[in-house]
C-alpha cells in the first residue's frame, strides 16, 4: 500500500472515530466517567430518585440525635449549638430525639442529599425542625415501620423569621418526601411543610396540623402513593408564584383535609387518581390564577367536597376552566349565601366541560352553573329546594339506576352527569321520594328551578339547564328549607360509589450509580429535577378544549425563565463539563486528520 493510501486510511479512520464519538456524546453515553441524566419513571413528573425509598444505608453517615450531644458516625455533618448541620452530598441516617434543636442542611447548590428518618422526634421552639438552606435536591425518606415527629413553637426567632422561614419542614430548594413510615408535623407557627421550589410527596403516611397552610410550595406539588391528612387554619395545600406557573398534581394515594379554609389551591390543578376528601369553609378546590392560566382538570380518582357552613363558597372554583374527564366528583355546599357547586371563569373565556366520570354537584341556585352545551357526556341541571340529608337518585328509561346519593347539606340546585348519559335520553330523577321524568338535551339555556335562578338568562317556563320537562309529568313540589344557616344532623362524608378501574402505575426503577456524592450514593450524579412542568402553565380555553379532544393529559407550558435557579433541574439536553471536554477532543481529532490529509496531498 502506498504512503498516500495509508495516510488516507488513517484520516478516514480518524474522521469515522470523531463522528462516532460525537454521536455518542450527544446521546450522553460516553464512558462511565460522563454524567448520565436519570430517566423519569411512572408519569413524567416523578424521577427515579423521587420514587426510590430503598437506597442502601451501608455507606451512609449515622447521626444519633440527643439533647446531651448528638453523635455522628461518618463524614459530612457536624454539631453546632445543639443543631445538627449537614454540609455535603451523600446519605445520612437520623435517629433519636431533639427537644429543642434543628437539623439544618446547607450544602453546595449542586449537591444531592438523602436523609433517612429512622424514628426521630425533632422539636424546635423558635425555628424549623428541619431546614434546607441550600442543596440541589433533598430526599427525606420515612423508614419502614417507624414513627417520626417534627414540631415547632408558636414564634420563630428574628433571624429565621426575617429570612422567610415559615414552616416546620422548610426548604429553599427542591424537596422530596418518600418511604413507607409515618410522619407527624405539628406547626404552631405558620405552615407545616414549605418548599420554595418543587415538592414531591411520593410515599408514607403524613399527618399535618398547622396554624396556616398544611403544605405550601412556590412552583409545584406532586403527590403519588401517599396518605396525607391535614388540619389547617388556612389552606390545606397551596401552590403559588408570581409567574403563573404554579401547579398541583395528584396521581395516586389519599388526601384528607378535614378542617381548612380552602382545600387545594394552585394556578393549575390536575387530579389523575387517588382519593381526595375536603371539608372546607370556603372553596374546596380553587384554580386561582389570572384568567386562562387557571384550570381544574379531573381525569380519574374520587373527589369529595363538603361545605356545610360557608358563604360565597364554591366546590370547584376556577378563574379559567374546569374539565371533568373521568373518576367521580361529589360536591355538597349548603344553600346558604352565594355558595355554588361549580364556578368557572366564563367572564375570562373559561368553560366548564364534562366528557367522562360521574358528577353529583349540589349547592345554591343564585349563581349556579352547569356544563357547556357541547360537552361530550350528557348532564342535567335541576332546581329544587331540599333539606340536608335528602336522597337523590337517577334512573334511565330502562329503570336502571345510574346513581344514588344522600346529600349532606341543604341545596337548591343539582348538576348530575354519569357515563352512559347522552342527549335524548329520558331519565327519572328522584329527590326525597318525589319523581320527575327529564329528557336530556344539554341545553345551554338556564331558567328558574324550584329553588331560585340559574345563571344564563331569563327562563321561558319550560327549559332548564341540561334538561327539558316532559309536558305530561307534574312539577315537583317545594320542599320546605331549614332556617337560615341551619344544617340538620351530623355532617359525614357520604359513602362513595365504586371508582372506575385505573391503569396500574409503573414500578420503581433501579437508580443509576452516583459518583458525585460521599460514600456510595445510589442516585444519578446530574441534577435530578428535569423540566417536568407539563401539568401547569398558560393555555387558552380553546387550547384546553383541543387538548381534551386530543386526549392529552397535560399541557406544555412556557418555562423559559432566563436563568436556572437553585434546585431546578437541567433538561435532558443539557451538556456536562465532561461531555464538553470529550466533544472538544473529538473535534481536535477530526481537525488533525483533515490537516494531515491536506499536508500530504500538497
Amino acid at each position: 500500500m502506498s504512503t498516500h493510501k495509508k495516510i488516507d486510511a488513517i484520516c478516514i479512520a480518524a474522521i469515522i472515530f470523531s463522528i462516532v464519538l460525537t454521536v455518542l456524546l450527544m446521546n450522553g453515553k460516553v464512558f462511565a466517567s460522563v454524567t448520565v441524566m436519570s430517566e423519569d419513571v411512572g408519569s413524567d413528573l416523578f424521577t427515579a430518585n423521587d420514587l426510590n425509598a430503598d437506597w442502601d444505608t451501608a455507606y451512609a453517615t449515622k447521626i444519633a440525635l440527643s439533647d446531651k450531644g448528638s453523635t455522628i458516625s461518618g463524614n459530612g455533618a457536624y454539631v453546632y449549638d445543639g443543631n445538627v448541620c449537614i454540609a455535603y452530598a451523600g446519605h445520612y441516617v437520623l435517629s433519636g430525639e431533639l427537644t429543642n434543636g434543628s437539623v439544618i442542611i446547607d450544602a453546595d447548590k449542586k449537591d444531592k442529599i438523602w436523609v433517612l428518618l429512622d424514628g426521630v422526634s425533632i422539636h424546635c421552639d423558635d425555628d424549623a425542625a428541619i431546614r434546607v438552606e441550600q442543596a440541589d435536591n433533598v430526599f427525606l425518606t420515612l423508614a419502614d415501620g417507624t414513627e417520626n415527629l417534627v414540631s415547632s413553637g408558636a414564634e420563630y426567632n428574628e433571624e429565621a423569621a426575617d429570612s422567610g422561614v415559615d414552616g416546620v419542614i422548610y426548604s429553599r430548594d427542591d424537596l422530596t418526601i418518600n418511604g413507607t413510615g409515618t410522619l407527624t408535623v405539628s406547626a404552631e407557627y405558620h405552615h407545616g411543610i414549605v418548599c420554595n421550589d418543587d415538592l414531591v410527596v411520593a410515599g408514607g403516611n403524613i399527618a399535618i396540623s398547622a396554624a396556616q397552610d398544611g403544605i405550601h410550595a412556590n412552583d409545584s406539588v406532586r403527590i403519588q402513593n401517599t396518605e396525607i391528612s391535614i388540619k389547617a387554619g388556612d389552606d390545606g395545600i397551596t401552590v403559588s408564584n408570581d409567574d403563573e406557573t404554579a401547579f398541583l398534581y395528584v396521581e395516586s394515594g389519599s388526601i384528607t383535609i378535614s378542617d381548612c379554609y380552602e382545600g387545594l389551591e394552585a394556578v393549575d390543578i390536575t387530579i389523575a387518581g387517588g382519593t381526595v376528601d375536603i371539608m372546607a369553609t370556603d372553596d374546596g378546590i380553587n384554580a386561582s390564577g389570572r384568567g386562562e392560566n387557571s384550570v381544574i382538570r379531573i381525569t380519574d380518582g374520587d373527589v369529595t367536597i363538603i361545605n356545610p357552613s360557608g358563604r360565597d363558597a364554591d366546590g370547584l372554583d376556577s378563574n379559567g376552566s374546569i374539565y371533568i374527564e373521568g373518576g367521580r366528583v361529589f360536591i355538597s355546599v349548603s344553600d346558604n349565601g352565594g355558595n355554588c357547586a361549580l364556578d368557572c371563569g366564563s367572564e375570562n373565556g373559561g368553560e366548564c366541560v364534562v366528557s367522562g366520570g360521574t358528577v353529583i354537584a349540589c349547592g345554591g341556585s343564585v349563581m349556579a352553573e352547569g356544563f357547556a352545551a357541547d360537552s361530550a357526556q350528557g348532564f342535567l341541571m335541576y332546581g329544587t329546594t331540599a333539606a340536608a340529608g335528602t336522597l337523590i337518585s337517577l334512573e334511565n328509561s330502562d329503570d336502571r339506576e345510574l346513581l344514588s346519593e344522600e346529600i349532606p347539606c341543604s341545596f337548591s340546585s343539582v348538576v348530575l352527569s354519569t357515563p352512559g348519559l347522552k342527549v335524548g335520553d329520558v331519565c327519572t330523577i328522584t329527590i326525597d321520594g318525589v319523581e320527575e321524568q327529564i329528557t336530556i338535551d344539554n341545553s345551554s339555556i338556564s331558567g328558574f328551578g324550584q329553588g331560585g335562578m340559574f345563571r344564563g338568562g331569563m327562563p321561558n317556563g319550560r327549559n332548564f339547564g341540561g334538561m327539558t320537562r316532559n309536558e305530561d309529568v307534574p312539577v315537583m313540589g317545594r320542599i320546605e328549607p331549614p332556617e337560615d344557616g341551619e344544617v340538620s344532623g351530623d355532617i359525614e362524608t357520604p359513602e362513595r360509589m365504586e371508582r372506575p378501574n385505573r391503569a396500574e402505575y409503573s414500578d420503581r426503577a433501579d437508580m443509576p450509580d452516583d459518583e458525585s456524592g460521599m460514600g456510595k450514593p445510589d442516585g444519578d450524579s446530574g441534577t435530578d429535577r428535569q423540566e417536568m412542568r407539563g401539568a401547569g402553565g398558560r393555555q387558552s380555553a380553546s387550547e384546553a378544549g383541543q387538548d381534551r379532544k386530543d386526549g392529552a393529559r397535560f399541557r406544555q407550558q412556557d418555562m423559559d425563565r432566563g436563568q436556572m435557579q437553585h434546585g431546578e433541574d437541567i433538561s435532558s439536553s443539557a451538556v456536562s463539563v465532561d461531555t464538553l471536554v470529550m466533544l472538544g477532543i473529538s473535534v481536535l481529532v477530526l481537525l488533525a486528520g483533515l490537516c494531515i490529509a491536506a499536508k500530504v496531498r500538497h
Side-chain angles (χ1 to χ4, degrees):
M1 182 182 294
S2 67
T3 301
H4 284 292
K5 289 183 178 180
K6 288 181 180 180
I7 293 176
D8 286 345
I10 293 172
C11 291
I12 292 171
I15 292 170
I16 293 174
F17 172 77
S18 300
I19 293 172
V20 171
L21 187 61
T22 301
V23 170
L24 289 174
L25 282 166
M26 291 300 98
N27 286 277
K29 298 179 180 178
V30 176
F31 310 127
S33 62
V34 178
T35 298
V36 179
M37 302 299 295
S38 65
E39 294 184 358
D40 297 325
V41 296
S43 78
D44 292 338
L45 300 179
F46 301 90
T47 68
N49 284 333
D50 289 333
L51 303 183
N52 183 27
D54 298 325
W55 47 269
D56 189 4
T57 62
Y59 299 88
T61 295
K62 309 298 193 300
I63 301 174
L65 304 176
S66 174
D67 292 329
K68 297 180 180 180
S70 300
T71 59
I72 299 173
S73 177
N75 299 317
Y78 60 94
V79 178
Y80 176 75
D81 196 23
N83 301 318
V84 170
C85 304
I86 296 174
Y88 294 97
H91 292 64
Y92 301 83
V93 177
L94 269 62
S95 61
E97 180 179 8
L98 278 180
T99 60
N100 191 16
S102 300
V103 173
I104 301 171
I105 298 170
D106 193 0
D108 187 84
K109 64 182 181 180
K110 296 181 180 180
D111 285 350
K112 282 182 172 56
I113 296 172
W114 287 260
V115 177
L116 180 69
L117 300 183
D118 191 15
V120 301
S121 178
I122 307 171
H123 174 84
C124 189
D125 287 338
D126 60 356
D127 201 341
I130 298 176
R131 173 156 52 93
V132 180
E133 283 296 324
Q134 182 171 276
D136 172 58
N137 201 318
V138 173
F139 303 91
L140 289 181
T141 298
L142 309 176
D144 186 34
T146 64
E147 295 184 4
N148 303 277
L149 295 87
V150 292
S151 59
S152 66
E155 184 176 354
Y156 280 13
N157 63 62
E158 184 176 352
E159 181 180 356
D162 288 348
S163 67
V165 178
D166 56 358
V168 176
I169 297 177
Y170 178 85
S171 179
R172 299 189 190 276
D173 294 307
D174 290 346
L175 176 66
T176 294
I177 301 174
N178 60 23
T180 54
T182 65
L183 175 64
T184 300
V185 180
S186 179
E188 293 185 42
Y189 176 83
H190 284 251
H191 312 309
I193 299 173
V194 175
C195 180
N196 285 355
D197 283 345
D198 297 310
L199 173 64
V200 172
V201 186
N205 188 324
I206 302 173
I208 302 172
S209 176
Q212 293 189 10
D213 297 345
I215 295 175
H216 189 108
N218 282 11
D219 293 341
S220 72
V221 173
R222 314 160 190 202
I223 299 172
Q224 181 191 101
N225 195 31
T226 309
E227 294 183 16
I228 301 174
S229 60
I230 297 174
K231 292 183 178 181
D234 197 1
D235 297 342
I237 301 175
T238 290
V239 194
S240 64
N241 57 26
D242 294 334
D243 57 6
E244 294 284 291
T245 59
F247 71 89
L248 169 62
Y249 172 72
V250 180
E251 183 169 286
S252 57
S254 67
I255 301 172
T256 302
I257 305 174
S258 59
D259 188 3
C260 66
Y261 180 67
E262 288 191 343
L264 308 178
E265 181 175 359
V267 174
D268 188 299
I269 300 170
T270 297
I271 299 175
T275 301
V276 178
D277 289 316
I278 298 171
M279 179 79 78
T281 59
D282 198 66
D283 299 337
I285 299 178
N286 182 15
S288 58
R290 294 186 291 271
E292 64 184 23
N293 295 335
S294 301
V295 177
I296 297 172
R297 186 184 301 273
I298 300 173
T299 64
D300 201 351
D302 193 333
V303 178
T304 299
I305 299 170
I306 298 175
N307 187 337
S309 61
R311 296 186 68 86
D312 193 24
D314 304 314
L316 299 181
D317 182 10
S318 174
N319 291 342
S321 296
I322 298 172
Y323 299 104
I324 300 178
E325 303 169 2
R328 174 185 177 274
V329 178
F330 178 89
I331 301 170
S332 176
V333 297
S334 67
D335 182 21
N336 182 26
N339 299 331
C340 297
L342 303 171
D343 184 9
C344 73
S346 54
E347 67 278 8
N348 298 320
E351 59 182 348
C352 188
V353 177
V354 61
S355 59
T358 295
V359 179
I360 303 170
C362 301
S365 59
V366 175
M367 297 293 286
E369 295 183 18
F371 293 108
D374 61 352
S375 292
Q377 182 168 285
F379 70 91
L380 67 86
M381 187 173 181
Y382 191 86
T384 187
T385 302
T390 296
L391 180 67
I392 291 179
S393 64
L394 186 67
E395 294 180 348
N396 64 11
S397 57
D398 296 328
D399 297 327
R400 181 172 66 87
E401 187 175 82
L402 300 177
L403 55 84
S404 178
E405 202 72 58
E406 182 178 305
I407 311 304
C409 304
S410 62
F411 61 91
S412 56
S413 74
V414 180
V415 179
L416 304 176
S417 184
T418 191
L421 195 64
K422 57 184 181 297
V423 173
D425 287 350
V426 178
C427 298
T428 300
I429 184 172
T430 303
I431 300 180
D432 202 23
V434 181
E435 297 182 354
E436 184 169 355
Q437 283 188 334
I438 303 294
T439 299
I440 306 300
D441 63 9
N442 280 19
S443 172
S444 60
I445 300 174
S446 299
F448 286 99
Q450 295 296 320
M453 184 176 75
F454 293 125
R455 182 177 298 176
M458 295 301 293
N460 58 16
R462 293 178 54 202
N463 291 331
F464 291 73
M467 59 84 177
T468 303
R469 293 187 182 278
N470 283 356
E471 295 286 354
D472 56 348
V473 179
V475 175
M476 186 177 293
R478 284 182 67 92
I479 302 174
E480 290 300 321
E483 294 296 327
D484 186 35
E486 178 184 349
V487 179
S488 61
D490 295 331
I491 302 301
E492 296 181 356
T493 302
E495 183 179 354
R496 299 187 187 91
M497 299 171 62
E498 184 177 354
R499 295 196 301 269
N501 291 329
R502 300 193 301 270
E504 293 296 327
Y505 299 105
S506 301
D507 294 333
R508 292 176 179 146
D510 293 334
M511 296 165 54
D513 290 336
D514 183 354
E515 300 180 3
S516 66
M518 299 173 55
K520 187 181 178 183
D522 299 322
D524 59 281
S525 59
T527 50
D528 190 67
R529 186 77 60 234
Q530 311 256 342
E531 290 296 331
M532 303 180 301
R533 304 174 187 269
R538 301 179 182 272
Q539 182 190 38
S540 66
S542 60
E543 290 170 335
Q546 186 61 45
D547 278 351
R548 170 172 48 82
K549 294 175 183 177
D550 295 341
R553 291 179 63 189
F554 306 109
R555 290 166 290 114
Q556 297 298 319
Q557 64 177 356
D558 180 6
M559 291 301 296
D560 183 10
R561 301 190 183 187
Q563 183 176 3
M564 194 72 71
Q565 299 180 8
H566 291 173
E568 287 192 341
D569 285 340
I570 303 172
S571 66
S572 58
S573 63
V575 182
S576 68
V577 174
D578 294 319
T579 301
L580 290 173
V581 171
M582 295 303 296
L583 182 59
I585 293 173
S586 68
V587 172
L588 290 175
V589 172
L590 177 60
L591 292 175
L594 293 175
C595 289
I596 292 172
K599 185 175 182 180
V600 170
R601 287 295 183 187
H602 288 81

